Amino acid sequence: EAQVTQNPRYLITVTGKKLTVTCSQNMNHEYMSWYRQDPGLGLRQIYYSMNVEVTDKGDVPEGYKVSRKEKRNFPLILESPSPNQTSLYFCASSPGTSGQRQYFGPGTRLTVL
Amino acid sequence: AQSVTQLDSQVPVFEEAPVELRCNYSSSVSVYLFWYVQYPNQGLQLLLKYLSGSTLVKGINGFEAEFNKSQTSFHLRKPSVHISDTAEYFCAVSEPNSGYALNFGKGTSLLVTP
């Protein structure tokens, strides 16, 4: 089954404790992206990747890192989480042509105390 | 750069009534337009998309949308809603030559009641 998986689905952590949210897709997609969803703000893009070893900032990249060492994986790293990073995070992937739909993971709800 | 405005943050409607969720965009070039739906505690799913051609686009679950270039709108409609249509709906736009990034609206919460 074609899908995007994220882990963990729920995470409660404390300020400053490094964490990684994993994202994996099994569709051989070139494009992958991370979004955060906050009430009243919709989805905002954090980082995206056009292919292996190619990443770029989205609209709200501060406080986040990503890597794309393999085509299927695109982890989101929070080196020193802060409470304002409490949010619902979505990973998405898409084939490497514009106009194609993005496939979304189920989401990771992160709470930073 | 493109932007998307969803004119209603919440739309309450009775079951079996028609509904329209409004979306306007701004862009200086041609765009691709999408509607995504997010059911409670789930990720986003594509409802429909407009790339070119016929301005009336049919999607899943009985939804359709009409692209209006002069009004820069892409409103989503359904003639008769069900309780199960209760969800958050997002309009999104991308520009064909600016990569694959989607610019999302802030969402419209559709609440269908008996």
Side-chain angles (χ1 to χ4, degrees):
Chain A
E1 179 191 354
Q3 60 182 350
V4 178
T5 56
Q6 295 179 228
N7 282 292
R9 294 289 313 277
Y10 302 91
L11 178 60
I12 300 174
T13 188
V14 296
T15 299
K17 186 176 182 182
K18 181 179 178 180
L19 66 91
T20 299
V21 184
T22 64
C23 172
S24 182
Q25 51 94 3
N26 63 0
M27 296 167 279
N28 201 37
H29 285 166
E30 293 183 356
Y31 180 85
M32 296 186 75
S33 180
W34 276 103
Y35 298 89
R36 61 177 289 174
Q37 182 181 13
D38 301 289
L41 297 178
L43 278 81
R44 294 178 292 168
Q45 191 178 48
I46 303 170
Y47 268 95
Y48 64 94
S49 170
M50 305 284 274
N51 214 325
V52 176
E53 302 291 2
V54 180
T55 63
D56 209 346
K57 296 177 182 179
D59 298 320
V60 287
E62 292 78 21
Y64 304 94
K65 285 176 57 178
V66 293
S67 69
R68 188 94 181 271
K69 294 185 171 59
E70 307 164 279
K71 200 170 188 178
R72 62 182 293 127
N73 295 324
F74 190 45
L76 179 69
I77 303 155
L78 284 71
E79 295 265 358
S80 182
S82 62
N84 64 12
Q85 293 178 298
T86 292
S87 187
L88 180 57
Y89 291 87
F90 288 100
C91 179
S93 73
S94 178
T97 52
S98 59
Q100 295 294 319
R101 62 175 284 190
Q102 292 194 13
Y103 293 77
F104 284 80
T108 295
R109 185 166 293 280
L110 172 65
T111 301
V112 183
L113 302 174
Chain B
Q2 72 274 31
S3 66
V4 178
T5 302
Q6 291 184 242
L7 295 158
D8 305 295
S9 59
Q10 295 182 358
V11 174
V13 63
F14 290 113
E15 191 175 20
E16 298 183 5
V19 71
E20 178 180 82
L21 306 184
R22 297 180 293 167
C23 172
N24 285 91
Y25 70 92
S26 66
S27 175
S28 57
V29 299
S30 296
V31 296
Y32 296 146
L33 293 156
F34 304 80
W35 275 99
Y36 283 83
V37 60
Q38 182 183 28
Y39 297 106
N41 299 313
Q42 295 186 27
L44 279 73
Q45 303 172 33
L46 181 70
L47 269 180
L48 49 79
K49 66 180 181 180
Y50 172 79
L51 302 184
S52 65
S54 172
T55 58
L56 184 62
V57 180
K58 294 191 183 298
I60 62 172
N61 300 340
F63 284 92
E64 63 180 31
E66 185 155 20
F67 170 61
N68 187 319
K69 188 174 182 179
S70 62
Q71 305 273 348
T72 60
S73 67
F74 191 54
H75 300 335
L76 181 70
R77 302 186 184 101
K78 186 169 182 177
S80 176
V81 295
H82 303 290
I83 299 286
S84 59
D85 291 323
T86 293
E88 191 85 11
Y89 291 79
F90 292 96
C91 183
V93 61
S94 70
E95 292 182 356
N97 297 321
S98 67
Y100 319 125
L102 284 175
N103 198 354
F104 285 89
K106 294 183 178 180
T108 296
S109 180
L110 176 65
L111 178 60
V112 182
T113 54

